[in-house]
Amino acid sequence: MLAAVLAAVLVSLSGRYGFHRDELYFLLAGRHPAWGYVDEPPLTPLLARAGSAAFGASPTGLRVVPALLSACSVVLTALLARELGAGRGAQIFAAGCCACSGYVLAIGHLLSTSTFDLTAELGVLLLTLRLLRTRDGRWWPPLGVAIGVTLLNKQLVVSLVLALLVALLLGPLTTRPWRELVRRPGPGGARVLLGPLLALVLALLICAPTLWWQATNGWPELKVARVLSHVSGVSGRLLFLPLQLLQFSPVLVPVAIVGLLRLLRDDELRWARPLALAYPVLCVLVLVGGGKPYYPLPLLLAVTAAGCEPVVRRARRSWRTLTPMLLLAAATSALAALPVLPVPAVAVTNAVDVDQGEQVGWPRFTRTVAAAWTAIPAASRAHAVLLTSNYGEAGALARYGPAYGLPIAYSGHMSLYDWGPPPDGSDGPVLLVEQADGRHRLQRRFPDCRTVDRIDNGHGIGNQEQNAEVVLCEGPHQPWSTLWPSLRQY
């Protein structure tokens, strides 16, 4: 029931603002199917293409898939709680905690790589717990398949698996469950010994095409990861835990703490202790790698599921106590993550969640660019080029531009670089969209540039395009094929 309610709420709110810049990129990438992209594996762009084809190329149509995936995450969280000994009431409470988390609401509202990743990693954790509890080697193949499918969407599951392995190998702290699992004869017989190898082979077979694509293209995802780590800097690492708990929901943090303590202290859950130990290990791995605060949140949800049984058991008149708690979590999370406020108020919530502001102003952005384009003499337009700073701008012009007669927009950002360059015969004027960061990175490549307009989303919301310059330049002094490598941007 909670899963269905969550999906209904997400779909009903899905069209309140507009596309997110990443969604526009996914729609564009879906038109260029491949086994990999510079910044991601192929699954999310394929989901964007399938969702828009099945439900319509609108924000609501695109977001049906994330709403359904989030509903699946709610069910998986309840199943994790059941695996950890929760009764029916605690399972419902676990599902409620998941549905009221700001992170779950945010990625359920938007299509992102994190949307499928949450559902997939919760599935991996559920299979891992089932394997640890039953010591049945027949769970190894499904676990390998789940990891392989997750790798088609994101490589973060590698960090999760590594954290679990470290936790399993911590010896007496975990009563050596890994050693028992590998050596102890079980219902699977010899398959208990061969299980880990079989799981590894299955995972590698499933994700082999995207790994091959990355290898043959110089592992571009690693380059993107290094850039993101550099952008995060020292301040991002210092704020790692506070931001993570804020995105999860401060109201639900006490339940997560109870779950962590239960896993560490309850002898009946010794077999599940690696779940608790893996969480700090994963946080350290993400911190060292310069990852984002929300990367460990699937594991934190599983730890929270472990805390639901004692919280429900100890609370007097539990639902009179716990229901207001969930309602408070839902209200605060919705304000931060969902489009529940009028568009002008996004300027306030944007300080907490920048993704809110990135859903505003794309049609107006396109109209401004189109007006500048039509100011180019018709005779020159046939050989002119439209060049953008990033994939969000290119995706917006691809989505809304045809209605204004705009041509294909090029960009050197992420995988759009691989879909260029413009033809060498396009030696006419160049219309640039230059972000208002003062660097003029694109303008430096072209002669005689002048600003013809500025982007204004009409609400004063400080997203990446607000106050960006629309710049008209003369054509390049060298062929596009020669100039293009200098425009590469990660």
Side-chain angles (χ1 to χ4, degrees):
M1 176 64 75
L2 281 172
V5 170
L6 175 64
V9 169
L10 291 173
V11 171
S12 66
L13 293 173
S14 58
R16 284 267 298 153
Y17 294 165
F19 287 109
H20 187 276
R21 66 168 53 253
D22 290 352
E23 293 175 318
L24 293 166
Y25 175 49
F26 297 143
L27 286 170
L28 195 53
R31 301 180 188 177
H32 300 82
W35 279 112
Y37 301 90
V38 166
D39 50 342
E40 62 191 336
L43 191 53
T44 297
L46 290 177
L47 288 176
R49 182 171 180 170
S52 60
F55 305 108
S58 65
T60 297
L62 184 67
R63 292 167 181 171
V64 170
V65 170
L68 294 176
L69 285 171
S70 294
C72 291
S73 295
V74 169
V75 173
L76 287 169
T77 303
L79 292 176
L80 281 165
R82 186 177 71 175
E83 197 70 26
L84 294 164
R88 179 174 176 79
Q91 292 174 42
I92 295 173
F93 183 57
C97 288
C98 179
C100 295
S101 166
Y103 176 67
V104 176
L105 292 179
I107 65 173
H109 169 59
L110 304 173
L111 178 65
S112 70
T113 53
S114 298
T115 308
F116 182 84
D117 199 60
L118 172 64
T119 305
E121 287 197 21
L122 288 175
V124 168
L125 288 168
L126 180 62
L127 291 170
T128 301
L129 287 181
R130 184 67 56 85
L131 179 62
L132 290 173
R133 182 177 63 82
T134 65
R135 302 290 195 268
D136 188 343
R138 286 173 291 188
W139 289 107
W140 280 111
L143 180 59
V145 170
I147 293 172
V149 172
T150 308
L151 284 168
L152 290 176
N153 180 69
K154 238 179 180 182
Q155 272 80 50
L156 287 178
V157 71
V158 174
S159 298
L160 174 63
V161 171
L162 182 59
L164 289 168
L165 287 174
V166 171
L168 284 164
L169 293 170
L170 283 178
L173 291 176
T174 60
T175 64
R176 304 184 186 275
W178 177 259
R179 207 173 286 179
E180 291 178 16
L181 181 60
V182 173
R183 292 181 178 177
R184 176 183 173 186
R191 283 176 292 180
V192 174
L193 298 174
L194 298 177
L197 180 60
L198 179 57
L200 177 62
V201 170
L202 286 172
L204 289 176
L205 282 175
I206 291 171
C207 70
T210 190
L211 291 178
W212 177 257
W213 188 95
Q214 285 288 325
T216 55
N217 286 273
W219 300 100
E221 280 196 60
L222 295 180
K223 298 176 184 177
V224 174
R226 284 196 293 270
V227 171
L228 292 176
S229 177
H230 177 73
V231 170
S232 174
V234 176
S235 61
R237 288 172 169 82
L238 291 176
L239 293 173
F240 178 84
L241 188 59
L243 286 176
Q244 180 186 127
L245 299 181
L246 184 64
Q247 291 172 331
F248 174 62
S249 174
V251 179
L252 301 177
V253 168
V255 185
I257 294 173
V258 171
L260 196 66
L261 294 176
R262 181 190 178 207
L263 290 168
L264 291 173
R265 295 175 179 176
D266 192 340
D267 286 340
E268 292 183 2
L269 289 179
R270 284 180 301 174
W271 56 271
R273 197 160 294 165
L275 195 67
L277 298 172
Y279 172 66
V281 173
L282 181 57
C283 287
V284 171
L285 290 175
V286 174
L287 267 171
V288 171
K292 297 182 180 180
Y294 61 79
Y295 287 175
L297 284 180
L299 184 53
L300 184 59
L301 266 175
V303 171
T304 303
C308 291
E309 174 62 27
V311 167
V312 169
R313 186 174 63 247
R314 293 170 189 171
R316 295 181 178 179
R317 299 177 180 178
S318 59
W319 294 113
R320 290 187 182 182
T321 305
L322 299 180
T323 300
M325 177 184 179
L326 290 179
L327 291 175
L328 178 61
T332 54
S333 296
L335 283 172
L338 295 180
V340 295
L341 298 176
V343 173
V346 173
V348 177
T349 58
N350 203 45
V352 178
D353 182 11
V354 296
D355 288 328
Q356 296 268 30
E358 299 301 337
Q359 302 170 64
V360 174
W362 292 115
R364 185 165 177 156
F365 164 87
T366 306
R367 288 195 297 270
T368 302
V369 174
W373 179 261
T374 55
I376 300 173
S380 300
R381 257 179 264 159
H383 300 282
V385 169
L386 185 54
L387 186 66
T388 67
S389 299
N390 59 58
Y391 60 55
E393 296 165 356
L397 296 176
R399 172 68 181 83
Y400 299 110
Y404 298 94
L406 287 176
I408 294 173
Y410 293 91
S411 178
H413 190 214
M414 297 301 185
S415 281
L416 272 87
Y417 175 88
D418 299 320
W419 308 330
D424 284 340
S426 298
D427 54 359
V430 181
L431 187 67
L432 309 175
V433 180
E434 189 81 91
Q435 286 185 299
D437 55 10
R439 298 177 185 176
H440 303 298
R441 188 182 61 84
L442 293 178
Q443 294 182 46
R444 292 198 300 265
R445 307 293 180 183
F446 304 94
D448 192 21
C449 295
R450 60 185 178 89
T451 300
V452 295
D453 209 340
R454 286 186 178 271
I455 302 299
D456 181 7
N457 54 46
H459 301 285
I461 297 168
N463 55 24
Q464 291 188 40
E465 274 56 56
Q466 183 68 353
N467 296 319
E469 299 176 63
V470 182
V471 181
L472 184 61
C473 304
E474 288 186 2
H477 289 332
Q478 53 186 324
W480 280 103
S481 55
T482 304
L483 176 64
W484 198 242
S486 67
L487 299 177
R488 161 71 88 179
Q489 180 187 358
Y490 291 107

